[in-house]
Amino acid sequence: MNDAPGDHILRVADITRPLEFDTARPLEVEVGCGKGRFLTARAKANPDCDFLGIERMLGRVRLFDGKCRRGGIDNAKVLRLEALYTFHYLLPAHGVRTVYVFFPDPWPKRKHRSHRLFGPLFLNALWKRLEIGGKIEFATDHEEYFGVVKDCFAADGRFEEVAPMERPRELWTEFETLFRGQGLAVHSAAWRSLPASDEPLAPLTVPPEAEPRQIAGR
Ligand SMILES: C[S@@+](CC[C@H](N)C(=O)[O-])C[C@H]1O[C@@H](n2cnc3c(N)ncnc32)[C@H](O)[C@@H]1O
């Protein structure tokens, strides 16, 4: 039983080594899990699966941890790390049954679009980590981004669109509860991964504009 503060926060001593999971138990992963409303409810209802949330904001990670402790949830952990890096380097190959991405930051301004999660790099890493036949569930309030994400998957022959899961109110995320309360529309879609040629992932590179700048004279 995990019940001390921080017990549900996954500590990674060496971020160059892949994470290890119990391969006898299905693994589900949520990207940008926030305070964990969805994933902790799902973990509580599915004690035979393991759940990993990935979230970069420390305050939200701590709230996720608190929810697990108060709820007596033993099968969920949260990792405070960048999602693309985690998918690219740390998750087991074809070891994840379901990935959830709910209300990812839509980066609506044109000049910020390169920050969006969905694109060829994420789809490559996603396919590599999903079990063949594993699913990705996606939801957003942002109609334009919804169209972009659907186009990304439609252009990638390694995925086929399937019906999204039914999510009753207790499986709404924090942002979703807010958006639905404001009467905003929520767009949902899901895809299943298909067998395909299993190439190694090319190393992630940092674009020149994102390289740390040299400070003159130092
Ligand atoms: C708009 S919020 C949605 C949170 C939650 N999914 C919900 O629906 O309530 C997006 C979340 O994703 C996290 N996030 C955004 N980009 C991330 C990244 N690259 N790696 C890890 N977390 C990320 C943010 O910190 C934030 O908590």
Side-chain angles (χ1 to χ4, degrees):
M1 176 81 177
N2 297 302
D3 55 10
D7 270 4
H8 295 271
I9 301 175
L10 191 60
R11 315 278 168 194
V12 181
D14 178 354
I15 61 159
T16 65
R17 289 174 71 104
L19 298 170
E20 287 180 12
F21 296 89
D22 181 348
T23 53
R25 290 166 60 84
L27 174 64
E28 300 193 351
V29 174
E30 185 181 5
V31 173
C33 61
K35 303 172 190 171
R37 189 178 192 278
F38 166 78
L39 206 64
T40 57
R42 179 128 183 105
K44 190 150 189 149
N46 294 278
D48 297 335
C49 294
D50 285 334
F51 294 85
L52 177 70
I54 304 170
E55 171 55 54
R56 65 181 171 197
M57 289 183 68
L58 180 59
R60 294 179 183 175
V61 163
R62 288 189 172 136
L63 289 165
F64 183 114
D65 178 56
K67 274 199 179 77
C68 291
R69 280 187 287 126
R70 286 191 303 278
I73 295 166
D74 271 345
N75 54 337
K77 294 238 182 221
V78 59
L79 173 67
R80 187 188 176 205
L81 209 58
E82 204 280 320
L84 177 61
Y85 181 90
T86 306
F87 269 76
H88 208 88
Y89 291 114
L90 301 186
L91 294 178
H94 303 299
V96 181
R97 179 149 307 171
T98 311
V99 171
Y100 304 99
V101 187
F102 294 141
F103 305 90
D105 296 326
W107 297 104
K109 290 190 181 154
R110 187 171 294 277
K111 65 180 177 187
H112 292 147
R113 292 218 172 131
S114 61
H115 298 314
R116 285 177 166 176
L117 177 71
F118 285 94
L121 281 181
F122 181 63
L123 261 63
N124 281 344
L126 173 69
W127 184 82
K128 189 81 172 174
R129 303 308 166 204
L130 276 176
E131 293 176 2
I132 302 300
K135 279 206 307 174
I136 163 142
E137 297 275 350
F138 168 62
T140 180
D141 61 308
H142 197 277
E143 201 171 354
E144 185 264 341
Y145 193 29
F146 185 62
V148 168
V149 172
K150 285 196 78 156
D151 288 348
C152 263
F153 279 100
D156 191 322
R158 297 170 299 177
F159 297 92
E160 73 172 357
E161 190 163 2
V162 293
M165 70 192 288
E166 293 289 328
R167 282 186 305 113
R169 182 180 282 266
E170 60 271 20
L171 290 182
W172 291 357
T173 69
E174 274 95 3
F175 274 67
E176 182 168 17
T177 307
L178 205 73
F179 294 149
R180 287 190 190 269
Q182 293 168 354
L184 294 177
V186 167
H187 311 280
S188 304
W191 294 268
R192 186 185 8 240
S193 79
L194 299 171
S197 156
D198 205 348
E199 307 297 331
L201 294 172
L204 287 176
T205 54
V206 179
E209 64 277 15
E211 288 277 8
R213 294 218 183 97
Q214 293 285 334
I215 300 175
R218 297 207 176 169

